[in-house]
Amino acid sequence: MRLIGKRLVSPLLAVLIAVGVVVGIFLVGHYQIRSVLKNEATLVATAWYESARHGRSGLDGLLDGRSEALNAPLLRSFAIDTLAVDDPQTGVVTVVGDKGRSEKELRPILETKGGQLGNQRSVHAVDESLFLSPKFATWVVFPVTPEGRQVAVRFDQTFEASQLLTTFNRQLVYLTGIAVVTFFSFMAGYTYRTQQMQREKQDLVYIAMHDELTGLGNRKKFEQSLGEMLGRASEKTHKIGLLILDLDGFKSINDTLGHPVGDNLLRATAERLKNSLRDEDLLCRLSGDEFAVIVPVVHDNHALPALADRMIRLIEQPFRIEGHEITIGCSIGITVGPDNGDTAKTLIRNADFALYRAKAGGRQTWRFFDPKMAEDQRSRETLEDGLRYAIQNDLFTLLYQPQYDLKSGEVVCYEALLRWKLTNQNLVPTSMFLSVAEETGLIIPMGEWVIRQVARDCRALPADVRVAVNLSAAQLQRDGTETYIAEALANSDIPPDRIEIEVNESILGRGEEAAFSRLERLREAGVSLVLDNFGVGTSSLGLLSRYPFDKIKLDRTFLSRISDPQKARAVVSAVCRLGQSLGMAVVGEGVENEAHRDLLRESGCNLAQGYFYGEPVTVEEVIGQEALATAALSSAAKTAADGSGDGSATPPPGPTHGGGRNIRLVANG
């Protein structure tokens, strides 16, 4: 019996040991699964909380329910099913999800800990699993805010718990017979899976914080890092530097060579910049062609301009992309924190001010932030608001400046010039607000107003008076522009051949073909086309060779910068001969004295326009001049008829309009 007992005890002991090992493995496994789920919840909750805290509405928006982080798709992507706020005044308030969960699960947690959990983040598991039916969730409670409130989020991890438990149980059943070996094998597989999950989570965080095209940090990482570095700088009483770079000429590369070449250019630019910086400096891509560099420790502000100069020279070096040699530049705005801003938002805004000033100052340069830049920006915003008000309240007017035939002295056309009427009746010239109008898109409604007003004014002018209208690149890129012009003329019964459309080379780039298709349809309808500001840019000759214009309008700089009359005459003569060979009339703009007029006349120029012939006047004054000219012409004709018997009468000297009316008796000097 004793022997039988010993034989029974040994297997039983072995069984008990095996069962103990299996139970131990089972308990350890479940504990590890709980730990992994809690760690996962902590990681995801922290990523979501930091994303919400650094969002546009910040932590206040999260507490008030206004944050973009509270939209349902985003919460589902983070597996958050309940969000609650513990307020000392109102208690636990459920913002998102089931209120019952907050009352059943979160309130006991807070009460067990004696109210709010203080300034440390805490993680609490809620395990309501049955034997074969896992039901697992995790509450993550964040630190108390300065207002005394506390955010808590609940992650429903039943699915992940089910997956992990299923994998675990399968492994456990398989390894029951060889408990020790199976245990080590399982732990190895389990550890691998855990690390894989961690790597996947890390990959997700990396993707959320980095630019896919260049691999650099994106705007989210930039703003987060800038805030952290600015905080450390304030604590350690040192400074940080921020440089925001914008590539000059990148848009034209995209437009002419295509987006694939543009993408490769951005990658090459990022690589150059990255190789020129120290390991501790942070380079990020903020948007299309905008980059930022954070210098975490700055001892001498003069080091930042040196860095900016180095990066500008680096970017100016030609790139070789897909067989194309590409040359671009960059403009840089520089700020120093906390001198130019004690928050990331302020520092970025001031760097943008400096960048805007650098681009306005000729590009391919840098500018340090100056408080006056903020004042200039506010002035610009005030100007924009004023333009919007002027559009809404019809506070624009048109003035007309004549173009004279240099041979006959006749007025052949009037150019319509836009002016902004102020409340004190002063007129603001277009040059004072044109750039703002183009940047904000206000040029579109302003241009449409000009077309309508020109059509109305033409009805009051004699039938043979022609009017020139400037058309911006933005208007030409807009579908339906030619239809709108045709309809405006038709509504006022104005023949299209009384209108000239003036454009410049800014129409080049993406959509050039479409823009000239619109111009060609206008030309077919009878409208004349004029190439304005000829000679300013580098593409004017290319436009003349590709598209048929009726007139070439010399830029005023040909006359305003005359230092050597012989050279100026040679250049103007060459342009006039070019126009004659192409069948295009040439207009000299900016004629302010007799020397200008004589130079144009001697160079073979056809037409002239400028203050020498008179300042721009209202349509009422044009009508009055036309009436006087008609009366003078009639008087001269009568005098000639009365004196025809003795041949002593002579016609009045001076220029006349194309219809025979005398407009200005001193036009030919």
Side-chain angles (χ1 to χ4, degrees), residues 608-628:
Q609 175 182 343
Y611 282 94
F612 174 66
Y613 296 103
E615 295 185 356
V617 295
T618 64
V619 66
E620 291 79 11
E621 292 176 280
V622 172
I623 294 171
Q625 291 177 357
E626 291 283 333
L628 290 174

Side-chain angles (χ1 to χ4, degrees), residues 529-531 549-554 575-576 579-580 582-588 604-607:
L529 301 184
V530 181
L531 179 57
F549 290 94
D550 299 289
K551 282 184 182 180
I552 304 171
K553 203 167 187 181
L554 285 173
V575 175
C576 293
Q580 292 171 2
L582 295 174
M584 303 176 187
V586 180
V587 183
C605 190
N606 308 99
L607 309 171

Side-chain angles (χ1 to χ4, degrees), residues 374-410:
E375 297 176 8
D376 293 342
Q377 181 64 17
R378 284 192 290 271
S379 298
R380 182 185 179 280
E381 293 171 354
T382 301
L383 179 59
E384 180 182 343
D385 292 339
L387 287 176
R388 294 186 188 278
Y389 180 82
I391 292 172
Q392 295 170 0
N393 294 275
D394 198 21
L395 297 180
F396 291 105
T397 188
L398 291 179
L399 300 182
Y400 292 90
Q401 189 172 41
Q403 293 177 7
Y404 283 89
D405 188 311
L406 285 171
K407 290 184 178 179
S408 66
E410 297 177 349

